[in-house]
Amino acid sequence: MSATEVDPATTNSPEAAMASRARFAALVQRQGAFAIFVLVMVVASFSFDSFLSRGNLTGIAVQASFLAMLALGMTFVIMTGGIDLSVGSVFALGGVLAAWGSQHGTLVAFALPLGVCGLIGLVQGLVIARGGLPPFIVTLAGLLFARGLLLLLTDEGAKTYKVPAGSSFRKLAQSDLLGVPYPVLLVVLFFAIGALVLHRTSYGASVLAIGGQEDAAELMGLPVQRTKVLTYVASALLAGFGGIMIASYTSSGVTILGVGLELEAIAAVVLGGTLLTGGAGTILGSLIGVLLLQVIKNVINQVGSLDSDWQAVVSGSILLGVVTLQRWLTRAERT
Amino acid sequence: MTDTASPATTGASAPESSGRSRRVDSDWVRRNGVFVALVLLLLFNLLFTDNFATEGTLRLQLVQVAPVLIVALGMALVIGTEGIDLSVGAVMALAAALIPLYIGYGTGVSIGISLAAGVVVGLIAGVLVAHVGVQPIVATLGLMVAGRGVANLFGGQIKSIRDESFRELGTGSILGIPYVVAIAAVIAVVVGLVVRRTTYGRQLVAIGGNKLAAELAGLPVKRVLVTTYVVSGLLAAMAGILLAARSQASDPTKLGLLMELSAITAVVIGGTPLSGGQVRILGTVAGALLMQLITATLIFHNIQDSWAQIVQAVIVIAAVYVQLGRGTTRKSRKT
Amino acid sequence: MTSTTTTTPARGTGDPVLETVGVTKTFGGVHALRGVDFQLAPGEIHALVGENGAGKSTLIKVLTGVYAPDAGEVRYAGETRHFRGPSDAQDVGISTIYQEVNLVPLLSVARNIFLGREPRNRFGLIDVRSMNQQARELMRELTIELDVSKELGRLGLGAQQMVALARAMSVESRVVIMDEPTSSLEAKEVTTLFTVARRLRDRGVGLVFVSHRLDELWELCDRVTILRDGRWVHTGPLAEMSRLELVSSMLGRDVEEVASEGATEFGESHRRSEEPAMVVSGIEVRNRLHGIDLTVRPGEVVGLAGLLGSGRSETVKAIYGAMHTDAGEVTVSGKKVRANSVRRALSAGIALLSEDRKAEGIIPDLSVRDNIALAVLPRMSRAGVVSEGKIDALVETFMRRLQIKASSPQQKVRELSGGNQQKVLIARWLCTEPTVFLLDEPTRGIDVGAKSEVQSLIDELAQQGLAVVLISSEMDELVEGADRIVVLHDGSAQSELDSRNLSSSELLRALAGDRSTDSPRGGQTGGPTDSPTDSKGEAS
């Protein structure tokens, strides 16, 4: 593939070339989604007058906020080299529990979903970390379990719990501060905390170390199992919180939500430059991945003649394109 | 490279002989557990379910399981190579969506085009996995998202299909056996023969068992991988066509939803390890039947559908746990 | 086994800071260590050497708490310790630096140094400023020039090793174990690493140093402990030892000992024709092989010798197309073989029996029969459908010829003994009817009976006209089995022994790098390969 004619005496130039290529690879991996995001934003703002309007941008941000919660947890999970397929179901379950709970008070609306979702995350984490079962299968079962529980609670999906009209719970997602909706503020807050946790706590370091090389992390004496369990708990909690937000936003517990959302979250994280093999990635990248997906949705909606289904096609293609590019470049880096 | 080998790996095959009897036991459970469970459940239904042993009931069960089985057979091949194919559900939707568009040119033509679409998706997945080196889960995830988008673009809303011979394919029968069931049975036999009797099948299993060794033995690893994803795409398209034929309609948003999960479940419960190297066709057939029967049993006894999912979740975890058998290396190292 | 017989040198005195007493460790019945005594004194750099399977890695893992010994005990600062894991060992002050840097590439240098023990601010968060400050001080102390806020992954491997050392420093370890730290470093980086290691020694830290580069031992280390086959063999000051003595006790051969005839099943030298079966010229693999030339004639067994890390396995892998080569040419029976393709090499008539039977050879869950027929499946089938009859016949022939002991051809290969697995693999390759057979440690890890069977088989194959390249770390096997031996050293052919000087003592000398007895190269590599090694237009 690469024409590397190496004269052992003068390895400098090809090495330098390789280094610059590696740097470019890292750049694409880290900033590729950002570049596409900016590009789409620029094109969209020239193409549609209404695109940059306050209302539209706020809409995009609010719509993206739910997925963002899932993507944040997923980022941590993927960084440890795992995957969490259960978040879509857990998200929906959280929403239904929150809507049901809000009938018994706002506190219950928060505590109940977080408790149940946290428990699901804990079980998944324990089975993965201690039982050594593959995350893919465990969280796949978690997906089925959470959705089954959800259907059980809602009379096979027939019953929709409403948030009482006067409930303060509605404020969570329906109010704003200085014009910025609460969900958006919450996402910013959570991502800031997430970045802080990743970069400023020993837990964060363990996450990166485990993803980089699990054996190495263990040899360095890091608490591998505990870190993994915590990560799956965090992912489930964040998904549950996303559910709480959507319950407040729609004032009801909608049961059909969240199907396939785990895959969108994974797509956003991978787009944001986190390698599925773990060990590399950024919190901010995932946020950009989420925004990119949402902006694409928005743009396709704006093009009246285009079917909204283009959104899925474009998202899928971008995901594959970015992954292929990542792969080619990292391969160049290795050889 | 050569120097890091610890005595554990250099010294003969002694580690294997220890704990052999335990392995034989868990091996037996892994191989035959699904059949035992299937027989027990059948007995239970024969004894306790009214109207179970009627032709109508049994026929319905088989008709319902046929598409899942067809997809699961392709999935079994993919899992045999240590891969996974998440795109099957989307391929089913895509295949079904194409039928009403081309049915005007003849039933055969439209079916041919649908199958070709499955091949194309499989080809893309195969090239991404084998040649580019993208992880199977990411490659097929992207195709899953994009594939359903394309299906929706082609299909739009639910379209009914009015074609006599197409209707016959979905609802007719030969010698009292519904076509759908007969086709699934034929495919199962063919896939079984392919795995056992052909060069391709042997090579596939070898690649899944030890890719590095297979490469060093000069096996056409990339070609086999691509072929496998193509077969999986083809079979998924087949299943989509049969589902459309049965309902005489295509519904791209719903058709084949979560099918990838059902298929994976059937394969795993059937005793094919996710780590590749084995393809258990009979086990996969039994796995698909078992899952179908569990759902049916719960419905017969007026237990809500949601419980079926929860039960399925528990079964998946249990099946994988049995596969891992003797606990994990991690644990045994710790103590 | 009492081993404290060493004379007292300047360094390595004092009560040992870390020692093992009679440590035994077995893996599934195989002894990796048998009653090993080892003592590390404060303020010394202690070399730990041995060939593959000698037990170095296992001993290190016992010392660092990865494995618990089955018998015997580990003492740290005079106290018996039972480490439950690497973190236990780390907590008391034993740090380990591995060949592959085990740090987190995404974190900064400072983060890596303090991973797990970061300074905190009053909010409980990591105090980056004071952490960087401390890291800088540490670097200054070690006279390493590095930007501590830089991401580790952006540094060279050498620099990463320094960071690993700095990490060991920062935990104030009293013991630092370095497991092949230099194997991927450039010469300059090695020098710096050694400087830092010496500085640590001067502060009273005890260092264990594992390396297969013999020169480095004398350059850096004070004492040496030699292990062989899981047993302790020798401990003593390095200065009192010659290279030859070291190598001979590593390999278990007495310097004076004359080759004992008949230790193996190999017969006399083979009849050989003059037309070479395979000519290899100028194989280059970056950082590993430097211009390897090799010629093998039909019916000839050419031995490939060299100590650990000399590039033996890499050479055969490169010939077979399984390792990416940067330059070089392979011709079989006069026809050029396209580089870097296993399938081309195979169809040209080259076969490789890999050293790592488990990872690169057997497909454990397949039957004996399927494993044997694996490489020739296309030939055994018509229109993609396997002809079971043909395979049965083939498998039966080879199972009988190689006396493979399996309950039936259907038995899973992982259930066989190592020796029989090896025979299955040999059968796999013989099915391809090779012209050249590359054998990488064909008798390692198999029982005595199978070993002699394999040896006589190699003999027989050569007599039938097969060209064989034989890699072995057993000197008897090479000396008696090979017609010529090419000795590799640091990725290039250093010397060659042929019928005139083929003996254990000569080989030992050659392995130890004693250049005085070198037979002149060039003329002997023979064949039409004298062309200079400039064939770099290879890559597409």
Side-chain angles (χ1 to χ4, degrees), chain C residues 80-385:
Chain C
T80 303
R81 299 280 183 157
H82 300 282
F83 299 131
R84 273 165 307 166
S87 51
D88 270 14
Q90 245 171 57
D91 288 346
V92 303
I94 301 173
S95 289
T96 318
I97 293 164
Y98 298 92
Q99 175 181 8
E100 301 295 330
V101 181
N102 275 336
L103 295 173
V104 187
L106 268 185
L107 295 178
S108 74
V109 170
R111 284 297 301 277
N112 270 292
I113 293 175
F114 292 106
L115 195 60
R117 309 162 280 106
E118 297 89 348
R120 306 301 176 92
N121 62 18
R122 60 204 150 102
F123 304 111
L125 296 176
I126 295 168
D127 187 345
V128 175
R129 192 181 298 166
S130 88
M131 185 175 67
N132 284 350
Q133 188 55 39
Q134 289 180 32
R136 264 192 292 274
E137 273 163 27
L138 197 64
M139 290 306 197
R140 205 172 304 130
E141 236 174 284
L142 294 170
T143 59
I144 303 169
E145 276 186 42
L146 259 182
D147 178 4
V148 295
S149 58
K150 207 170 175 184
E151 231 173 65
L152 184 84
R154 292 169 185 247
L155 302 177
L157 266 181
Q160 296 193 17
Q161 293 280 23
M162 304 302 159
V163 176
L165 260 183
R167 180 176 159 81
M169 284 280 307
S170 78
V171 281
E172 300 189 348
S173 303
R174 294 173 62 190
V175 174
V176 173
I177 296 172
M178 301 195 281
D179 190 359
E180 305 245 10
T182 57
S183 58
S184 40
L185 298 192
E186 307 286 334
K188 217 176 81 191
E189 296 172 326
V190 172
T191 314
T192 322
L193 183 74
F194 285 4
T195 314
V196 176
R198 286 193 196 100
R199 197 160 289 135
L200 287 177
R201 172 184 65 193
D202 296 342
R203 293 168 151 219
V205 175
L207 293 95
V208 178
F209 181 74
V210 179
S211 173
H212 57 248
R213 296 186 182 166
L214 293 186
D215 303 315
E216 292 178 355
L217 302 184
W218 276 274
E219 195 186 330
L220 182 69
C221 301
D222 306 309
R223 289 201 298 163
V224 62
T225 289
I226 302 170
L227 298 181
R228 189 175 66 233
D229 298 331
R231 294 175 204 274
W232 172 89
V233 176
H234 173 87
T235 299
L238 257 171
E240 296 171 8
M241 233 183 165
S242 73
R243 280 176 77 101
L244 197 55
E245 283 168 331
L246 183 84
V247 172
S248 57
S249 48
M250 263 165 70
L251 300 179
R253 298 303 304 252
D254 207 320
V255 187
E256 309 304 325
E257 190 187 327
V258 188
S260 52
E261 206 68 46
T264 67
E265 286 299 312
F266 289 110
E268 282 303 294
S269 67
H270 312 108
R271 172 186 58 90
R272 41 170 133 145
S273 85
E274 284 310 309
E275 274 311 298
M278 178 177 75
V279 178
V280 175
S281 61
I283 295 265
E284 289 282 346
V285 172
R286 212 161 73 93
N287 286 340
R288 293 193 185 259
L289 300 178
H290 314 291
I292 300 272
D293 300 338
L294 191 70
T295 303
V296 198
R297 296 178 186 80
E300 184 183 38
V301 178
V302 174
L304 215 49
L307 295 175
L308 216 56
S310 57
R312 295 171 308 185
S313 298
E314 287 84 349
T315 301
V316 289
K317 276 192 174 159
I319 294 172
Y320 188 61
M323 175 175 261
H324 184 89
T325 55
D326 298 305
E329 197 175 283
V330 177
T331 53
V332 174
S333 319
K335 267 184 248 155
K336 206 182 138 197
V337 184
R338 212 172 90 185
N340 300 324
S341 159
V342 168
R343 306 195 70 199
R344 301 276 173 163
L346 248 178
S347 58
I350 306 177
L352 166 67
L353 183 75
S354 310
E355 176 189 21
D356 192 339
R357 197 164 53 229
K358 239 175 230 158
E360 304 180 342
I362 59 166
I363 316 258
D365 284 327
L366 289 192
S367 64
V368 170
R369 178 178 180 282
D370 288 349
N371 266 286
I372 290 178
L374 189 67
V376 289
L377 274 176
R379 244 187 274 169
M380 295 290 121
S381 44
R382 192 175 299 149
V385 178

Side-chain angles (χ1 to χ4, degrees), chain C residues 367-373 390-413 416 419-428 430-431 453 457:
Chain C
S367 64
V368 170
R369 178 178 180 282
D370 288 349
N371 266 286
I372 290 178
K390 271 192 195 169
I391 290 187
D392 282 337
L394 185 81
V395 168
E396 207 199 311
T397 312
F398 277 102
M399 281 185 74
R400 200 177 319 133
R401 180 168 164 204
L402 303 191
Q403 295 171 11
I404 295 170
K405 288 178 199 74
S407 62
S408 84
Q410 303 304 334
Q411 191 179 4
K412 278 188 181 174
V413 86
L416 301 191
N420 280 302
Q421 288 182 353
Q422 193 70 304
K423 288 190 204 164
V424 166
L425 291 177
I426 293 176
R428 178 194 290 172
L430 291 180
C431 288
E453 281 174 43
L457 179 73

Side-chain angles (χ1 to χ4, degrees), chain B residues 194-214:
Chain B
V194 164
V195 170
R196 280 203 193 157
R197 297 261 175 260
T198 65
T199 328
Y200 160 77
R202 299 280 175 86
Q203 290 176 336
L204 180 154
V205 174
I207 289 166
N210 188 343
K211 194 171 166 204
L212 186 55

Side-chain angles (χ1 to χ4, degrees), chain B residues 141-180:
Chain B
L141 169 64
L143 285 170
M144 169 188 186
V145 176
R148 194 163 289 275
V150 173
N152 278 321
L153 279 180
F154 281 133
Q157 281 77 44
I158 303 175
K159 279 188 185 144
S160 61
I161 304 164
R162 287 179 219 293
D163 182 271
E164 196 39 50
S165 44
F166 195 64
R167 196 183 70 90
E168 178 68 13
L169 175 69
T171 54
S173 52
I174 177 169
L175 303 173
I177 304 166
Y179 281 128
V180 180

